[in-house]
Amino acid sequence: MSGRTDSDAAPAISRAAQADEPEDHGEPGAHGEPDASDEPDAHDEPDASDERYDHGEHVGEARRARWTAAGAGGLLCLAGCAAALLRLTGPAPAVVPAAYALGAAVCALAAVLGSRGRTRRALWLLVAGTAVMAVGDQFD
C-alpha cells in the first residue's frame, strides 16, 4: 500500500466493507466522491482578524526584542569597559576593575545571544552582568 489516496491498492478491510454496503451510485460519498461532511467548514479557515494567523506582528516584536537585547548588551558592555579602565587608573582595589570587566564580558555575551534571538537568556545575562558590576562597585 502506497499511502496515497488515489492509489489502486486499497486495503482489504475497505474492500470487505464496500462489499457489504449496497451500491447506490446517486449517494454522495459513494466510490470516493466527497460528500458535504468531508468538506472543511467555513469556521476552520483563517480570517484576517484571527490572531492565531497574524504572524506579521510577532515578527516585528521578535525583531524589536533582538535589537533591544543586542543594543542594551552593547551599551552596558561599553559602560563596563569604560568604568573598568577608569577604576584601573585610580586608587581603587583591584577587585573593582575586575568586577567591571567581568560584568562587561557577561553583557557582551548577552548582546551576542540577543542578536541571535535568545532574548530571554540575554535578559538574564544583562541582569547578572549589571549585578556583578554593582557588587564590584561596593568594594570601592
Side-chain angles (χ1 to χ4, degrees), residues 14-103:
S14 67
R15 284 189 213 137
Q18 287 177 355
D20 292 340
E21 294 177 4
E23 288 190 32
D24 185 13
H25 297 287
E27 179 182 337
H31 303 289
E33 295 175 13
D35 61 347
S37 64
D38 291 341
E39 294 178 9
D41 293 334
H43 301 293
D44 292 339
E45 300 199 13
D47 296 344
S49 64
D50 196 2
E51 292 178 352
R52 293 180 298 170
Y53 298 100
D54 188 20
H55 298 295
E57 182 179 331
H58 296 296
V59 171
E61 287 177 6
R63 183 177 295 126
R64 213 172 8 256
R66 285 194 308 268
W67 277 98
T68 302
L75 185 66
L76 284 171
C77 177
L78 287 175
C81 287
L85 287 174
L86 287 175
R87 300 294 180 166
L88 189 62
T89 60
V95 71
V96 176
Y100 276 114
L102 180 65

Side-chain angles (χ1 to χ4, degrees), residues 110-125:
V112 169
L113 287 177
S115 69
R116 294 185 178 188
R118 304 290 185 183
T119 54
R120 196 172 294 158
R121 289 184 183 138
L123 173 67
W124 285 109
L125 283 176

